[in-house]
Amino acid sequence: MGMEVSLVEPRTARAAARRWLAALASLKLTLVFLALLGAGVVATYLGGAGSVWLLVLPLALFAVNLGCAVITNGVFRRQTALLTFHLALLAIVLLIAAGRLTFLKGQLELSTGETFRGDLTQFESGPWHPSRLAEISFTNHGFAIDYSPGVKRNQTRNTVSWNDESGRRRVAVIGDQQPLALKGYRFYTSFNKGFAPLFTWHPARGPARRGTVHLPAYPIHEYRQSREWTLPDTDVAVWVMLKFDEVLLDPARRSEFRVPREHTLVVRAGAERRELKPGERYMLPQGVLVYEGVTTWMGYNVFFDWTMPWLLAAGLLAVASLAWHFWNKFAARPWER
Amino acid sequence: MAELQSLWAALLAYVAAGTVAIIAVAMGRRPERSVLALITAGLVLHTASLALRWVRVGYGPFTTLFEILSSNIWSLLTVFVLACWRVPAVRPAAAVVMPVLFMMMGWLLVTNPGEGHLPATYDTIWLYVHVATGKIFLGAVLVAVGLAGLVLLRAVGVAARRFAALPEDAGLDELAFRFMVLAFIFETLMLIAGAVWAQDAWGRYWAWDPLETWSFITWLTLAFFIHLRVTLALRPRLGAVMIMAVFVLAFLTFFGVPFVSTAPHKGAV
C-alpha cells in the first residue's frame, strides 16, 4: 500500500506542476500582462516617478510567462526566430534591471582651468554602483558656442584635457553628441554654462585662497547675474552681481558666447556696497578680497551605465529575429486570387 | 517662392488623386492607375519643394510644424505608392488613405511656413535614422488603415458593388496585419535609434519624457494587437477597428505630443 502511494504521488505532483506551467505560459496571460504594462506606463506617466513597481511587476510577470512558454511550448521552441525575439526582449528587461542597480547620473560644474576630481554637485545612482569617479580627473580649458539670430544656440565646443592610462596627456574637443568617456563614465557638456568671477581671498590669518563663484546660467538667467556665497572659513556672506551694458548675444545677428569686455562687479557684504574692476580690492575685517576678473564655467552631465552596448545589441537582435520570423511566415499571399 | 508654388501644385495633384479615388468608389469604377499617376506627379513636385527648402535653409524638414507636416505627407504617400506598386491589392485603399491625408494637408495650409532653427543636438546621423524609421512606421500603419477602412466600409454596405471585386475580408485583414507587423518592426527600430541619439544628445537613452512615453505606449499597443491577432481568431472587422485605434494613437503621438509638451524632446535646449 505504502509502495503505491510513493509511486503515484510524485507523478501527480509532476502533472500538477505541468498544469501550472502550462497555465502560466498561456498566450492569453501575455495579453493581460501587456495590458498591465501599458496601464503601468500610463499610471507612472501621470503619477510621477514614485510608482516604479507599476512597471516592474508586469515586466516580472511577463518574464515568468515567457519562461513558462519556453519550457512547455514545443512549437514555440521550434520557431527559432520567434524564440530569439522573445529571449532578446527578456534580455532587454534583465539588462535594464541590472543597469538600474549599477547606474550613476549626475551633474558637475567646472570653471575654465579647473580640474574635476570626482566631486559632483548632485547625483543619483543604483545601490550597486561601483564608484570609480575618484580615479578620474580632467580639466576644462574653456568653450566656444555661437548663436544664430534669435539667440538660438548652435554647437558647443569644449576643450578638455586628461591623462590616459599610460600617463600621457590627451586633449579633445567635446560637445553636443561628443562626450568625454573615461573609465565607463560619459561626461556631456550641458546647456548650463555661465560667468564665473575669479577671486583671491587673503584672510587676516592663514594662506591666501583662489577660487571662482558660478553665477546663474547665461543666457537663460540673463537678468539675474548675481549670487550670494560665504567667504572661506568665515561666516561672512558676500553678494556679488556682474554688471555690464554691452549686448553679448544679439538677437538680431549671429554672435558668440564671450565674457563682457567692459564690466564691474558689484560686491556687497553687510551694509557696505562696492563696485570692483578687475584687480581691485575689497577690505573686510576678516581679510582682503581681490577681484581678479571674470571667466566662464561649464555644466556637465555625467552618466554611467555599462549595459548600454548590450542593450543596443539585444534590441537589434530582437528586431532582426522578428523580421526573420515574419519573413518566413509571410511567404504565402492569400489575398491574391 | 518656387518651393511654395511647387508644394501647392503637389497638393493640388494629391487632392485630384483623392477626389478621383473617392468618386470612383461611388461610381463603381477602378481608375487605380490614374490615381497612382496623380499621386506620383504630386510626389515629384513635393520632392522638388522639399529639396528647394532644404537647400535654402540649410537643413532638412525636421523642426517646424510646417516642415514636419509637409515631410510626413510626402513620406506617407511615398510608402503608400510603394505599397501599391509592390502589392496591387492595396490600391483601392486610396479612397480611405487620401481623406486622412486631406486632413493633414488642410492643417499644413494654415501653418506658418516660416523658418525654424536646427538645434545643435540635431547634428547627427541618428536624426536621419530615427526620422526615416519613424516615417516608414507611420506609413505602414496608414496602409493598414486604408485596408482596414475597406473592410469597415464593406461591413456598413458602402459601395458594395465596387468592393465586391476586392479580396475577401480575410484576405484584406491578412494584408493589413502584415503592414502592422512591418510598422511594429520599424517602430522598434525608431525607438532604438531615438535612444542612441538621446544618449549622446541629452546624456540619457530614456527618460520617460512625454514623446518617449507615448511612443512606447504606441509600441505596446501594436504588440498587443499583434499578439491578440495571433492568439485569438479575431474577426476582420474587429481587427480593422483595432488598426484604426493604433493609428489614432500613433497619429496623436507623432503630431500632438511634440507640440503640446514643453519637455526637451524637440532638442531646443
Side-chain angles (χ1 to χ4, degrees), chain A residues 6-36:
Chain A
S6 66
L7 282 173
V8 170
E9 272 188 344
R11 209 174 293 157
T12 313
R14 275 201 298 273
R18 271 201 297 272
R19 277 200 302 276
W20 269 102
L21 280 175
L24 285 171
S26 160
L27 282 173
K28 289 174 186 163
L29 268 186
T30 313
L31 287 170
V32 174
F33 297 152
L34 275 173
L36 269 180

Side-chain angles (χ1 to χ4, degrees), chain A residues 309-332:
Chain A
W310 298 103
L311 273 174
L312 179 60
L316 293 176
L317 179 64
V319 174
S321 51
L322 189 69
W324 176 24
H325 171 74
F326 281 112
W327 183 266
N328 292 330
K329 206 173 169 61
F330 288 168

Side-chain angles (χ1 to χ4, degrees), chain A:
Chain A
M1 203 62 176
M3 211 46 180
E4 280 177 33
V5 170
S6 66
L7 282 173
V8 170
E9 272 188 344
R11 209 174 293 157
T12 313
R14 275 201 298 273
R18 271 201 297 272
R19 277 200 302 276
W20 269 102
L21 280 175
L24 285 171
S26 160
L27 282 173
K28 289 174 186 163
L29 268 186
T30 313
L31 287 170
V32 174
F33 297 152
L34 275 173
L36 269 180
L37 181 58
V41 170
V42 173
T44 307
Y45 173 64
L46 297 175
S51 38
V52 66
W53 286 105
L54 294 174
L55 301 179
V56 172
L57 185 66
L59 283 173
L61 291 171
F62 176 72
V64 170
N65 175 243
L66 178 59
C68 293
V70 173
I71 293 167
T72 61
N73 192 334
V75 177
F76 188 36
R77 278 202 304 274
R78 280 193 294 277
Q79 300 189 65
T80 311
L82 192 62
L83 181 63
T84 307
F85 168 70
H86 284 91
L87 291 179
L89 285 187
L90 191 58
I92 288 171
V93 171
L94 293 175
L95 283 167
I96 288 172
R100 292 306 296 173
L101 290 171
T102 53
F103 84 106
L104 178 135
K105 191 167 78 175
Q107 284 91 43
L108 63 124
E109 293 175 5
L110 292 177
S111 304
T112 298
E114 189 178 359
T115 298
F116 172 71
R117 301 201 186 281
D119 296 322
L120 302 176
T121 51
Q122 54 180 320
F123 72 96
E124 57 174 319
S125 63
W128 298 344
H129 173 66
S131 183
R132 297 179 69 191
L133 270 176
E135 301 167 25
I136 295 171
S137 77
F138 72 92
T139 303
N140 166 25
H141 295 285
F143 61 85
I145 306 171
D146 57 304
Y147 285 79
S148 291
V151 194
K152 304 283 191 187
R153 182 175 68 83
N154 295 316
Q155 292 288 337
T156 299
R157 301 174 301 281
N158 178 208
T159 305
V160 293
S161 70
W162 72 100
N163 289 332
D164 64 16
E165 297 285 342
S166 62
R168 216 173 94 222
R169 186 172 182 267
R170 304 285 298 273
V171 179
V173 177
I174 63 171
D176 305 289
Q177 279 89 44
Q178 188 57 56
L180 170 66
L182 296 173
K183 295 187 189 296
Y185 292 89
R186 296 162 77 86
F187 294 87
Y188 299 87
T189 57
S190 75
F191 59 91
N192 266 324
K193 74 278 172 189
F195 301 120
L198 175 65
F199 297 98
T200 303
W201 168 238
H202 300 273
R205 273 187 294 275
R209 290 175 68 176
R210 203 160 186 257
T212 54
V213 173
H214 294 181
L215 296 177
Y218 190 91
I220 293 177
H221 301 296
E222 184 178 1
Y223 301 109
R224 202 166 58 82
Q225 289 299 297
S226 63
R227 172 142 290 168
E228 188 171 80
W229 51 290
T230 307
L231 286 169
D233 304 324
T234 73
D235 56 359
V236 179
V238 176
W239 179 86
V240 296
M241 183 182 78
L242 188 66
K243 191 174 150 189
F244 56 91
D245 292 327
E246 61 186 300
V247 177
L248 296 181
L249 302 174
D250 190 343
R253 56 178 63 89
R254 293 186 76 85
S255 43
E256 187 157 351
F257 192 102
R258 62 177 173 79
V259 296
R261 292 188 188 95
E262 291 293 327
H263 72 275
T264 55
L265 191 75
V266 181
V267 182
R268 197 174 62 208
E272 191 185 354
R273 180 186 185 278
R274 288 271 311 274
E275 290 197 13
L276 302 179
K277 292 272 186 192
E280 291 185 340
R281 294 161 171 255
Y282 187 94
M283 310 296 282
L284 289 159
Q286 294 83 355
V288 180
L289 184 67
V290 181
Y291 173 51
E292 307 278 6
V294 67
T295 181
T296 56
W297 62 267
M298 169 56 73
Y300 298 87
N301 294 318
V302 56
F303 189 77
F304 175 93
D305 187 344
W306 63 272
T307 65
M308 282 192 303
W310 298 103
L311 273 174
L312 179 60
L316 293 176
L317 179 64
V319 174
S321 51
L322 189 69
W324 176 24
H325 171 74
F326 281 112
W327 183 266
N328 292 330
K329 206 173 169 61
F330 288 168
R333 298 183 168 200
W335 59 87
E336 285 183 355
R337 289 176 166 175

Side-chain angles (χ1 to χ4, degrees), chain B residues 13-195:
Chain B
Y14 296 151
V15 169
T19 308
V20 170
I22 293 163
I23 290 174
V25 167
M27 304 285 286
R29 304 249 171 96
R30 296 191 65 164
E32 288 161 4
R33 285 180 184 277
S34 309
V35 171
L36 275 181
L38 280 166
I39 295 176
T40 307
L43 279 173
V44 171
L45 291 162
H46 201 161
T47 306
S49 170
L50 289 169
L52 285 169
R53 184 181 175 94
W54 195 321
V55 168
R56 182 173 64 82
V57 300
Y59 58 83
F62 307 124
T63 60
T64 67
L65 180 58
F66 179 85
E67 290 167 353
I68 290 168
L69 278 172
S70 178
S71 65
N72 273 290
I73 291 167
W74 179 88
S75 62
L76 289 170
L77 280 168
T78 301
V79 172
F80 182 69
V81 166
L82 288 174
C84 289
W85 171 54
R86 294 297 300 160
V87 189
V90 168
R91 291 176 186 176
V96 180
V97 164
M98 293 311 288
V100 176
L101 288 159
F102 286 173
M103 187 179 65
M104 292 176 69
M105 291 176 209
W107 191 4
L108 178 70
L109 288 172
V110 296
T111 305
N112 181 0
E115 289 175 36
H117 172 256
L118 194 73
T121 48
Y122 279 40
D123 186 17
T124 166
I125 186 70
W126 290 105
L127 164 70
Y128 300 95
V129 180
H130 181 60
V131 169
T133 49
K135 286 184 187 309
I136 296 171
F137 150 61
L138 200 62
V141 177
L142 185 69
V143 175
V145 161
L147 294 162
L150 294 179
V151 171
L152 293 176
L153 285 174
R154 192 148 59 183
V156 295
V158 173
R161 188 163 60 92
R162 160 86 169 93
F163 290 148
L166 297 180
E168 298 295 323
D169 280 359
L172 292 176
D173 177 58
E174 172 64 21
L175 192 51
F177 173 68
R178 293 184 182 196
F179 277 99
M180 291 300 269
V181 168
L182 186 70
F184 185 66
I185 289 170
F186 276 93
E187 195 193 3
T188 311
L189 284 172
M190 180 191 79
L191 291 178
I192 292 171

